[in-house]
Amino acid sequence: MSKPWLLVSPASRGIGLQLARHLLKTTDAPVIATARNDLGDTSEQILDGLDVDKQRFKVLELDVTDEDTIARASSHCNQLFPTSTHHLRLAFCIPGILHPEKSLQQIEYNNALSTFKINALGPLMLSKHFSGLLPRKSVQLDPSDNLPPSAVLALMSARVGSISDNKLGGWYSYRASKAAVNSIAKSVDIYLQQRCGEKGMCMSLHPGTVKTGLSEDFWGSTPKEKLFSVEFSAEKLVNVVNTVGLGGRGKCWDWEGERDSTMNDQGWR
């Protein structure tokens, strides 16, 4: 039986930090978190107040805009968890940045380029370097509590990434980068079907509006019942990846476990 390990990248703040904490609290599997810098501070924040075995947790340096750091982190994980005995069971690949653009005139080239590098190329490069650590078709997975039955690469999308649901415009580079994430999730899942069969899949996730620095400009305009805490969001996202199953592969799912058809079938037209 292949033993599981888990990845959250990045995990230095916001949803990623809480996902790492939630997985440490609710599973027995080793958890790898990543951060661009301040690895010690990130580790302290994630472990703060948790009564868990610290030996099953590690923070690695990884910058999604620097492929060398992604490759090094992947190689380090492969050394820690050889595929002869372990496989990546759940990976949250969730880099994100937002530069609000209410009009075309507000688009700045460097900001838009940064948005695509982090929001779209980030999860694509994470998928490139970590997909090889997922189980192949012949691997027997160790049944584990509070983990998905098949390995999952989960990429962070957003409802504004839907093409057919776009009624307001604006947020040009952010919308386009999240639409790209949905396309990436579909293509990566096709690759995983060929490589992993039913043992591995990819999906994208819509977390709702979460009270993080990324969404701070919109807290005031969001109804209180629709503005989620990071703890609530992390719990809901983990529940989604644990319960959707293989029928949800290659698709986008929201925090309630509802398939967002505007980001799937209609979104590709």
Side-chain angles (χ1 to χ4, degrees), residues 58-174:
K58 190 175 184 66
V59 179
L60 299 181
E61 179 186 3
L62 191 154
D63 180 348
V64 296
T65 65
D66 183 345
E67 188 176 3
D68 287 344
T69 70
I70 303 174
R72 285 198 296 270
S74 174
S75 177
H76 192 153
C77 288
N78 197 22
Q79 293 174 16
L80 290 172
F81 311 109
T83 53
S84 58
T85 55
H86 293 74
H87 286 90
L88 178 55
R89 184 70 157 269
L90 175 57
F92 284 99
C93 304
I94 55 173
I97 192 172
L98 169 62
H99 296 287
E101 302 156 338
K102 296 182 179 179
S103 71
L104 285 170
Q105 285 66 39
Q106 290 182 327
I107 301 172
E108 296 183 4
Y109 182 89
N110 287 334
N111 285 345
L113 183 60
S114 176
T115 297
F116 279 97
K117 281 184 174 180
I118 293 172
N119 293 1
L121 285 177
L124 181 59
M125 291 297 101
L126 287 168
S127 298
K128 170 186 174 180
H129 287 281
F130 283 92
S131 61
L133 305 182
L134 270 67
R136 285 191 173 273
K137 297 177 183 179
S138 60
V139 171
Q140 295 299 311
L141 299 180
D142 183 14
S144 302
D145 292 338
N146 301 318
L147 288 176
S150 300
V152 176
L153 280 179
L155 315 184
M156 190 67 83
S157 184
R159 195 175 300 279
V160 296
S162 167
I163 296 172
S164 63
D165 192 49
N166 184 358
K167 304 297 193 299
L168 298 176
W171 297 17
Y172 299 91
S173 59
Y174 185 76

Side-chain angles (χ1 to χ4, degrees), residues 5-11 15-24 26-27 31-34 62 64 88-96 122-123 126-127 130 134 146-148 151-157 201-207 233-243 253:
W5 63 277
L6 318 176
L7 172 72
V8 182
S9 181
I15 297 175
L17 191 151
Q18 290 301 325
L19 281 168
R21 286 176 58 84
H22 184 83
L23 293 172
L24 282 168
T26 59
T27 78
V31 176
I32 299 296
T34 77
L62 191 154
V64 296
L88 178 55
R89 184 70 157 269
L90 175 57
F92 284 99
C93 304
I94 55 173
L126 287 168
S127 298
F130 283 92
L134 270 67
N146 301 318
L147 288 176
V152 176
L153 280 179
L155 315 184
M156 190 67 83
S157 184
M201 59 184 281
C202 183
M203 65 171 69
S204 58
L205 298 170
H206 165 54
S233 177
E235 179 181 351
K236 289 295 185 179
L237 293 178
V238 170
N239 184 64
V240 170
V241 297
N242 284 350
T243 58
W253 297 85

Side-chain angles (χ1 to χ4, degrees), residues 137 192-201 246 249:
K137 297 177 183 179
L192 293 180
Q193 286 186 58
Q194 298 166 349
R195 183 184 185 279
C196 306
E198 296 185 350
K199 301 298 173 61
M201 59 184 281
L246 288 169
R249 64 185 314 156

